Amino acid sequence: MNAPHHFPATATRRNLQGLLNQAVGDGVAPAVGCAVALRGVELPVLTAGDASVDTFYDLASVTKLFTTVTALILVDDGVLDLDAPVGRRLPAYARGPKAAVTLRQLLTHTSGLPSEWRGWHTALSQGRSFERGALIADLLATELEAAPGTRFAYSCAGFNTIMALAEHATKAPWGQLVKERLLYQLATDGITGTPRIEQCAPTEFQPGLGRGLVRGIVHDEAAWSLGGLSGNAGMFATADGLRVFGMALLEGLPGILSPAMAAQMWRSQLPEILGSNFNPLEPGYGHGLGLRINQQPSMGADGIEARGHGGFTGTSLLVDRSRGVVVSLLSNRVNPSRDGDDATGLRKAVSDVVYSGASN
């Protein structure tokens, strides 16, 4: 480590370890991992509670970043188009109001689709097993709640629709697409859609769904019903593995996306897409393609140029090119129940400490 970075990095590491220890002690999560980069310098991975540097965490909606990059790779390859109607590829979107939906809208939650698709619950409540083809057909039959391009509404259903679009266009399974197009291009084995159970931090105890203690299998019920790794959830990573992906984002995803496509992912999209319907107070943060921008309070007071995403299970990735910061913060805050702390306070505190270190 270069001398100018030594003291700030040491102080940052010490302060971060204190926050992680406190989070476990306060019952925020039984396991926490954190991997940080400051101005290109990678700090040692920190852990607290029932975790090691090799622990894999269910990333939940941080998975949407991998979905975004995979979809944009297909755009670069000419397989998909950002602004053409997805109905050109998906027959279920070929007519009616959905005929105007585009991939750009799906990636920015402006398609008009509802937040959730509950087909999995219908199947479960009727005692039917999960049949993926039928579930995908049910997903694609989801009606819009608003005209495309007229509102922002966070939609897991939209990201599973991106998965269905990519599968239909390529005739390849989603997990194979993500691995071959994206994961194999990253210098890490710390990211996977098929983790070894014994390496995973457990998530929620769900006896009501017949699942018991969920471990090594995606927590999100929609993704679970669709077989695991899906458009909205299902990726697992170690803290360092997710940092590797964050560093690639910081550098513009060289060798993965074209510079023009990486720039599209990074820039604010909502004012242009929504036009006169844009409300800067809703959702309260900016949005690129897949990436949230300056989401407060979790990105910290100094994170006004930060991009990233959080996950319901207590995970998050923050990347800030202007400050040379990457923060991979992983926890299993839903263990044993989702009714506890939502980890926003921990995310903010970690971000504030990291930005303080980046300023020194």
Side-chain angles (χ1 to χ4, degrees):
M1 183 178 295
N2 295 331
H5 298 299
H6 180 72
F7 175 73
T10 301
T12 298
R13 180 184 180 188
R14 182 176 62 249
N15 292 335
L16 287 174
Q17 187 66 64
L19 289 175
L20 303 190
N21 293 343
Q22 182 179 350
V24 171
D26 290 347
V28 175
V32 185
C34 185
V36 169
L38 288 176
R39 298 190 296 264
V41 177
E42 296 184 359
L43 276 59
V45 176
L46 304 177
T47 68
D50 188 17
S52 75
V53 296
D54 298 318
T55 298
F56 280 76
Y57 296 81
D58 182 332
L59 296 185
S61 283
V62 177
T63 300
K64 291 180 173 68
L65 300 184
F66 295 87
T67 300
T68 298
V69 177
T70 302
L72 295 181
I73 290 169
L74 295 177
V75 174
D76 266 337
D77 289 350
V79 177
L80 299 178
D81 188 299
L82 267 177
D83 296 306
V86 299
R88 294 183 183 178
R89 293 286 192 178
L90 284 176
Y93 275 69
R95 60 190 60 85
K98 289 200 272 189
V101 172
T102 67
L103 177 57
R104 188 187 300 273
Q105 292 166 349
L106 291 170
L107 288 168
T108 54
H109 305 281
T110 58
S111 69
L113 281 168
S115 173
E116 291 185 88
W117 161 74
R118 298 278 291 175
W120 67 270
H121 186 268
T122 302
L124 206 63
S125 64
Q126 294 176 354
R128 293 186 281 114
S129 60
F130 294 143
E131 200 284 300
R132 192 174 187 274
L135 290 172
I136 291 289
D138 186 78
L139 165 72
L140 294 178
T142 302
E143 297 294 333
L144 301 184
E145 292 182 341
T150 64
R151 73 162 194 187
F152 174 94
Y154 182 70
S155 179
C156 290
F159 269 70
N160 280 330
T161 300
I162 294 169
M163 173 187 69
L165 170 67
E167 288 186 332
H168 193 84
T170 63
K171 309 304 180 188
W174 179 245
Q176 178 184 327
L177 283 172
V178 177
K179 281 193 298 183
E180 293 182 355
R181 300 300 185 100
L182 174 55
L183 297 186
Y184 289 169
Q185 318 311 317
L186 296 171
T188 180
D189 59 2
I191 309 171
T192 181
T194 54
R196 294 172 57 187
I197 292 175
E198 64 272 18
Q199 289 184 296
C200 295
T203 54
E204 192 171 12
F205 182 54
Q206 293 187 322
L209 297 181
R211 304 182 73 187
L213 179 63
V214 180
R215 185 181 185 190
I217 300 170
V218 61
H219 172 261
D220 178 88
E221 293 88 355
W224 169 52
S225 75
L226 295 171
L229 176 60
S230 300
N232 75 309
M235 194 69 80
F236 289 74
T238 64
D240 182 60
L242 187 60
R243 176 171 59 184
V244 170
F245 178 65
M247 292 295 288
L249 281 173
L250 186 78
E251 295 162 3
L253 295 161
I256 297 174
L257 289 181
S258 66
M261 197 57 60
Q264 285 274 357
M265 187 177 180
W266 200 259
R267 75 174 179 87
S268 178
Q269 300 271 335
L270 296 183
E272 180 180 318
I273 293 173
L274 297 176
S276 61
N277 293 301
F278 174 65
N279 178 356
L281 300 179
E282 180 60 41
Y285 51 86
H287 218 288
L289 298 183
L291 286 166
R292 296 179 177 183
I293 303 170
N294 187 26
Q295 185 177 12
Q296 296 296 331
S298 62
M299 289 183 175
D302 291 326
I304 57 175
E305 295 296 329
R307 269 75 168 163
H309 213 291
F312 184 77
T313 50
T315 58
S316 59
L317 177 66
L318 180 153
V319 180
D320 191 329
R321 290 178 179 169
S322 69
R323 305 289 291 276
V325 164
V326 174
V327 182
S328 163
L329 177 62
L330 305 180
S331 80
N332 59 341
R333 72 99 192 165
V334 295
N335 178 261
S337 166
R338 67 182 67 192
D339 298 328
D341 192 301
D342 70 358
T344 297
L346 174 61
R347 290 169 176 140
K348 180 185 185 304
V350 167
S351 296
D352 287 343
V353 165
V354 173
Y355 274 108
S356 177
S359 299
N360 293 326

